Amino acid sequence: MDRSREEEVIRNYQKGEKMMILLFAQWCINHDLDPVAIYKEAYPYQEKNKELVDALELTVPKKESDYIDSETLLEVLSLYGNDDLAFVVSDLTSRKNLK
């Protein structure tokens, strides 16, 4: 793979990762949950996640958002290797009966 192709793949992955973080943040807003607290529960030893803070600026109020299915969020989190966060989200969805 040539260098420019590698860079494009990396950029696309990073763009997808940002969309995954935004999807997570909006899902939390839609369910009246604190995305920062949930992230901290999944990754207690990580510093503040700048990408999550940036994504929060892009979220919309619950009533203005499209519906985000919990299963879709879980699939996307797993796709990007956020298994700890997916576990916490899955636990929340079952405890609070979130769809």
Side-chain angles (χ1 to χ4, degrees):
M1 188 183 302
D2 68 5
R3 185 84 174 132
S4 64
R5 178 76 179 128
E6 281 180 27
E7 290 170 357
E8 182 183 342
V9 168
I10 291 168
R11 275 193 307 276
N12 286 338
Y13 181 86
Q14 290 169 334
K15 191 185 310 180
E17 193 172 42
K18 285 182 186 209
M19 288 305 298
M20 178 264 311
I21 295 167
L22 178 57
L23 185 74
F24 163 72
Q26 189 64 58
W27 178 86
C28 289
I29 300 297
N30 292 357
H31 289 93
D32 300 315
L33 301 168
D34 179 355
V36 174
I38 294 169
Y39 189 87
K40 188 77 171 159
E41 185 178 338
Y43 304 107
Y45 302 108
Q46 258 189 29
E47 293 295 316
K48 193 178 212 179
N49 184 312
K50 182 184 177 336
E51 289 81 10
L52 179 55
V53 172
D54 292 347
L56 287 172
E57 294 178 13
L58 300 174
T59 60
V60 296
K62 179 179 174 176
K63 64 181 179 269
E64 294 176 25
S65 173
D66 289 334
Y67 174 74
I68 299 170
D69 181 74
S70 296
E71 284 301 314
T72 301
L73 175 62
L74 290 169
E75 288 174 20
V76 172
L77 289 174
S78 293
L79 180 69
Y80 280 88
N82 281 303
D83 298 330
D84 293 340
L85 188 55
F87 177 80
V88 172
V89 167
S90 179
D91 184 53
L92 276 170
T93 56
S94 62
R95 278 190 292 131
K96 296 185 180 264
N97 199 25
L98 304 174
K99 300 282 180 202

